[in-house]
Amino acid sequence: MNITTLIEELKQFNEDEILYKKYYDYQQAGKTNWKSAADDMGVSYAFFKKHFLPDVEGGFLPTIISDNNFFQGEDKNNVVITKHNRYTPVFAHKHLLFELIYVLSGSCVQHIEHSTITLHEGQFCLVAPGSVHSISVFDQSIILNILIRRNTFEDIFYHILRNTNVISSFFNKTLYTRNQNAYLIIDSKKDPYIREHVLSMLLEYREKNKYYEEILNGSITILFSKLLQRYENTIYVSDNTKKTSVEFSDMLAYIDNNYQHVTLHEVASHFHFSDAYCSRLIKKHTGKSFTQLQQNIRFRMALFFLENTNKTIAEISSDIGFQNVEHFNRLFKKRYGITPSAHRKMTSVTH
């Protein structure tokens, strides 16, 4: 399959979309006998109830959608790309992962927390984990959902997280603070390069050829980097990000870049704050002290090195800022319940 044939396939209604369209038509006609509707549609009522149908008694309508709905336990991929089924009934839910919505053609309406946003062709909406949202697509529009595991996020965005820009601010606030923003919007102006890149990712995901997981990991990083390169100055962020982007987000990126040995006093001096004000700012946005925040970053990096490199435990301990490997081992076991060596063995089996 190539991109041209992929687009033609996306235009066609799949089995689920046909069912949702019929359900939509029944609703518009004021009909509510869903057992009769299932018979008319030529499907079993049990099959009918397995879909997202809010009016169907005993139907499947989760408010929290876990990673297991998209990622199988043995899968190595960190990225899933799917077409959003048109005419899916609107229902509020939240994910435990990052969701990037892309409008390939047409438009859609997003309800995110207390905001209602209309997205048009070429626009992206990045929704943070835990944000209550819903999506409306009741026409021929084609919407793609790119889902990114949160628990392997550092693996993919290692370099992006250490830069100072609006997207790294969004990610870092979600990973380290309690006052995360719900979403941001990127308008790629119907950029043909971006469009082809996203479609190539979808094709890679569908075909699942050897090494497709690694290709998708690299491709999602390139996608965000290209969006920053071309459209950084026009990215729209929700209000609570704007309130802290100048003051706190830059500070968080600075700590993230120098987490190994930076002190509270050094951070405060860099931003021309007093130690006390800097400490209060960190506490306000993260609910943690400077030391707790620094330790969170250190251990997130420890997990990354354990799972993705051949460095020794002593080397990892030193690289993330611990002077004593025994101290690192004790703190790691206290936090995760197992030793660093045991964690490495466990994750090497599942990767």
Side-chain angles (χ1 to χ4, degrees):
M1 181 182 290
N2 56 35
I3 287 178
T4 301
T5 55
L6 174 63
I7 293 171
E8 290 305 311
E9 182 183 307
L10 292 172
K11 291 178 181 178
Q12 304 302 314
F13 274 59
N14 62 37
E15 182 183 54
D16 290 335
E17 289 176 313
I18 291 170
L19 186 145
Y20 285 136
K21 177 64 166 63
K22 289 179 178 179
Y23 173 85
Y24 174 81
D25 291 339
Y26 266 77
Q27 278 192 319
Q28 296 304 300
K31 299 179 180 179
T32 58
N33 187 338
W34 301 118
K35 288 187 178 179
S36 175
D39 291 338
D40 291 347
M41 295 175 195
V43 298
S44 69
Y45 188 56
F47 176 77
F48 198 63
K49 290 196 298 182
K50 289 181 179 179
H51 290 72
F52 300 118
L53 303 172
D55 295 336
V56 177
E57 185 178 355
F60 175 63
L61 199 67
T63 55
I64 301 176
I65 301 179
S66 72
D67 288 15
N68 293 335
N69 290 99
F70 305 103
F71 301 96
Q72 299 303 314
E74 67 275 9
D75 283 355
K76 295 191 295 181
N77 59 301
N78 299 314
V79 179
V80 164
I81 311 177
T82 63
K83 178 177 75 168
H84 177 82
N85 286 325
R86 291 164 287 192
Y87 289 92
T88 301
V90 177
F91 68 100
H93 62 283
K94 59 185 177 181
H95 299 292
L96 303 179
L97 41 72
F98 287 92
E99 182 174 10
L100 181 65
I101 296 117
Y102 175 62
V103 182
L104 183 70
S105 65
S107 63
C108 69
V109 176
Q110 285 277 343
H111 303 278
I112 308 175
E113 298 292 346
H114 304 296
S115 300
T116 300
I117 309 122
T118 300
L119 298 174
H120 300 282
E121 183 175 336
Q123 292 185 321
F124 293 85
C125 181
L126 181 60
V127 182
S131 299
V132 177
H133 67 288
S134 64
I135 182 170
S136 304
V137 187
F138 296 107
D139 56 20
Q140 303 295 317
S141 299
I142 301 175
I143 313 301
L144 301 181
N145 295 329
I146 304 174
L147 309 169
I148 310 163
R149 289 186 198 254
R150 176 174 175 163
N151 63 351
T152 56
F153 203 74
E154 189 83 37
D155 302 15
I156 307 174
F157 295 102
Y158 176 80
H159 296 292
I160 287 180
L161 290 173
R162 273 143 192 81
N163 293 322
T164 303
N165 56 65
V166 66
I167 293 180
S168 67
S169 171
F170 179 92
F171 289 145
N172 277 321
K173 287 189 68 179
T174 301
L175 293 171
Y176 297 122
T177 77
R178 61 182 180 183
N179 187 32
Q180 69 178 44
N181 53 292
Y183 67 94
L184 60 80
I185 295 173
I186 311 168
D187 189 354
S188 69
K189 313 293 183 185
K190 302 182 183 179
D191 188 323
Y193 171 86
I194 298 295
R195 185 174 188 269
E196 184 169 346
H197 186 81
V198 173
L199 287 169
S200 295
M201 290 175 62
L202 177 58
L203 200 59
E204 195 70 51
Y205 177 74
R206 285 195 172 194
E207 294 182 342
K208 290 182 169 57
N209 292 322
K210 190 176 182 180
Y211 302 121
Y212 85 96
E213 302 98 336
E214 289 79 5
I215 292 171
L216 283 177
N217 288 351
S219 295
I220 192 69
T221 303
I222 292 170
L223 175 61
F224 278 113
S225 299
K226 278 294 183 182
L227 288 171
L228 281 169
Q229 185 183 63
R230 299 184 180 199
Y231 306 106
E232 180 177 10
N233 294 331
T234 60
I235 294 175
Y236 173 83
V237 290
S238 49
D239 290 343
N240 57 338
T241 300
K242 292 178 181 177
K243 292 175 184 175
T244 62
S245 60
V246 174
E247 191 171 70
F248 180 71
S249 296
D250 287 351
M251 180 186 296
L252 185 57
Y254 180 79
I255 296 171
D256 209 24
N257 276 317
N258 301 279
Y259 71 92
Q260 295 94 333
H261 303 292
V262 72
T263 65
L264 174 65
H265 180 70
E266 288 169 346
V267 175
S269 297
H270 182 83
F271 290 95
H272 308 290
F273 297 146
S274 69
D275 290 9
Y277 177 78
C278 186
S279 180
R280 287 197 301 271
L281 196 62
I282 293 170
K283 186 73 173 180
K284 174 185 175 182
H285 290 290
T286 69
K288 300 176 178 63
S289 67
F290 168 79
T291 300
Q292 290 170 326
L293 174 63
Q294 185 181 44
Q295 291 288 66
N296 284 353
I297 298 172
R298 282 176 171 173
F299 280 106
R300 183 175 287 275
M301 290 308 304
L303 294 176
F304 173 78
F305 288 132
L306 285 168
E307 296 168 10
N308 296 278
T309 74
N310 293 320
K311 292 180 179 222
T312 67
I313 305 301
E315 288 172 334
I316 292 172
S317 172
S318 176
D319 286 350
I320 65 174
F322 284 93
Q323 294 181 345
N324 184 292
V325 67
E326 286 76 18
H327 181 53
F328 165 67
N329 283 330
R330 283 195 301 272
L331 290 180
F332 190 98
K333 186 172 183 179
K334 182 178 179 181
R335 178 176 287 239
Y336 299 112
I338 57 175
T339 65
S341 297
H343 178 85
R344 169 171 273 172
K345 287 179 182 178
M346 182 179 68
T347 55
S348 67
V349 171
T350 59
H351 280 71

